[in-house]
Structures are given as structure tokens and as C-alpha cells.
Amino acid sequence: DTGVSQDPRHKITKRGQNVTFRCDPISEHNRLYWYRQTLGQGPEFLTYFQNEAQLEKSRLLSDRFSAERPKGSFSTLEIQRTEQGDSAMYLCASSADGEQFFGPGTRLTVL
Amino acid sequence: GEDVEQSLFLSVREGDSSVINCTYTDSSSTYLYWYKQEPGAGLQLLTYIFSNMDMKQDQRLTVLLNKKDKHLSLRIADTQTGDSAIYFCAEKYGGSQGNLIFGKGTKLSVKP
């Protein structure tokens, strides 16, 4: 399967812990996006990479969130000192120059 | 700010047509998209329309765009139980590098 993959699919953590998620985009897609989706809502944009450069960040991305795409391929999203309000589905998408293809998401539960 | 609105629920009988409506606010949107999300799954791109088009048809799916009213609709012909899902309308925000702004989704229930 050459679609977008995300790991882990589920993560349960205690408040205050750090978590890191990984996204592997479709190969040769130069654009990579992170979104967050809470229950009953549509996905909300968090941040965007073109190759290894992080070009845009949403106001939703607080200082506790950091994203990287070191070699312009896979990306990681880290949340430090997690809070219960961080519980959500974190979606990654990639694109070449048009439609965005989404991964299955990582569901985060903060206890 | 930019906003995309959809009705939250739609219920139809198998074999009928479904019409899901969406309104958006950003007049500089270049593309508008419809995504489908089944329980526990990611988002599947169904179709999209460029802002200079009025209509696009793709098998059972018809997208209509009224740019003047900023209104988008998705018609599913001969709706099947497998079409039961949440459908998201999204606009490609013209003021950005291309991130999408999504509505809250319309939950389509198809009754046999």
C-alpha cells in the first residue's frame, strides 16, 4: 500500500507526558499537512511543510506542539506536557500539487 | 474569519438521491472538495471542483457550485447503504499555502 501511513494508530497517555506521532506521506509528495479532529468537528489545520520547510502554522499550534520533517520525507508531531484538551484524532495528509490524501490518523487520549 | 457550514444530518432511503449542501465564506477559494469519512477511518477524497466550474459529474456523484452564493452541493444518485458515512465539505483557503478549511460534516444515514 503506497498511501499515507501514521503511527501509532492509538495512543493513551497521562496528563503531563510527552507524545510523538509519525507520518509517512505518499512517496514523492512534497507537501505534508497536519490536522486535528475532535469529536463532532471537521479537521482543523495545524501546520504545513513543503519539503523540509515548515511554511505555515495555525494559531491552534501552541508552544507545546512542535513538528518536524527533517529530510523532506516523513514527519513527526510532538506534544509536550499533554493536557486533556489535546485528546483528538491527529490526521496527516500529503499532496503533490493538488488534492490532499489523508492517512488513517492517530487517536490520542489524555487521561 | 473563514468558515464552512453544513447541515449535520441527512437521512434517505436506499435507492433515493441524497443532496448534501455546504456554504463557504472565502471568495478567493480555488478548489472545493468533498471528503467521506467512515467510522474509525481516515478521510477519503470523493471529488473536487475548481472554482471556475459550475458542475462536475463523476459516476453517481454530481457536484454543483454556485460561486455567487458561495454554495456547494453534492448529489449522490441511487444512494446505497454503503454510502452511510460523514461527508465533509472543504475549501482550499486562498490566503494560505493550501491548507483546507472543513465544515463540521454531514452524517448521512441510508435506510434499507
Side-chain angles (χ1 to χ4, degrees):
Chain A
D1 190 328
T2 56
V4 178
S5 62
Q6 293 186 244
D7 183 68
R9 295 291 305 276
H10 303 274
K11 178 71 177 178
I12 300 173
T13 191
K14 291 183 180 178
R15 191 175 50 187
Q17 298 294 305
N18 300 344
V19 294
T20 300
F21 310 140
R22 177 180 169 123
C23 171
D24 286 89
I26 294 171
S27 57
E28 297 177 3
H29 276 190
N30 60 344
R31 298 183 181 189
L32 188 148
Y33 304 80
W34 284 99
Y35 292 83
R36 182 177 72 184
Q37 185 179 22
T38 53
L39 199 62
Q41 303 292 318
E44 296 171 292
F45 169 73
L46 291 178
T47 190
Y48 155 68
F49 289 85
Q50 182 155 323
N51 300 313
E52 65 274 11
Q54 187 174 18
L55 296 184
E56 192 168 348
K57 290 196 284 188
S58 159
R59 288 169 295 178
L60 292 175
L61 214 66
S62 77
D63 291 344
R64 296 184 297 105
F65 287 69
S66 62
E68 294 183 345
R69 195 182 182 197
K71 298 180 181 178
S73 57
F74 74 91
S75 175
T76 57
L77 177 68
E78 181 183 15
I79 309 174
Q80 295 182 324
R81 305 181 303 282
T82 51
E83 301 173 356
Q84 287 184 323
D86 297 331
S87 295
M89 177 77 87
Y90 290 84
L91 296 166
C92 174
S94 70
S95 74
D97 192 24
E99 55 263 38
Q100 295 179 24
F101 295 89
F102 282 79
T106 295
R107 181 168 294 283
L108 173 67
T109 302
V110 182
L111 301 177
Chain B
E2 305 73 34
D3 198 14
V4 176
E5 304 237 346
Q6 303 177 236
S7 52
L8 296 181
F9 301 99
L10 177 65
S11 179
V12 301
R13 291 211 172 273
E14 194 173 17
D16 288 349
S17 291
S18 307
V19 180
I20 303 172
N21 294 300
C22 168
T23 57
Y24 60 97
T25 56
D26 182 18
S27 58
S28 64
S29 292
T30 53
Y31 287 91
L32 295 130
Y33 301 83
W34 285 103
Y35 282 85
K36 176 183 180 182
Q37 188 174 41
E38 295 178 273
L43 291 161
Q44 175 195 352
L45 177 64
L46 286 179
T47 187
Y48 65 92
I49 188 167
F50 188 52
S51 58
N52 69 352
M53 297 169 64
D54 298 323
M55 185 181 89
K56 181 178 180 181
Q57 187 152 3
D58 185 0
Q59 299 183 335
R60 293 191 298 122
L61 304 178
T62 304
V63 179
L64 295 177
L65 175 61
N66 180 330
K67 198 172 179 182
K68 174 176 169 290
D69 294 339
K70 299 192 188 76
H71 182 267
L72 183 74
S73 68
L74 174 70
R75 179 177 179 269
I76 306 172
D78 187 24
T79 314
Q80 303 297 307
T81 54
D83 294 325
S84 294
I86 299 177
Y87 291 80
F88 291 95
C89 169
E91 61 171 341
K92 189 172 185 178
Y93 174 40
S96 78
Q97 300 277 354
N99 58 280
L100 301 178
I101 297 177
F102 286 84
K104 291 185 178 182
T106 299
K107 184 173 183 179
L108 174 64
S109 298
V110 182
K111 299 182 179 177

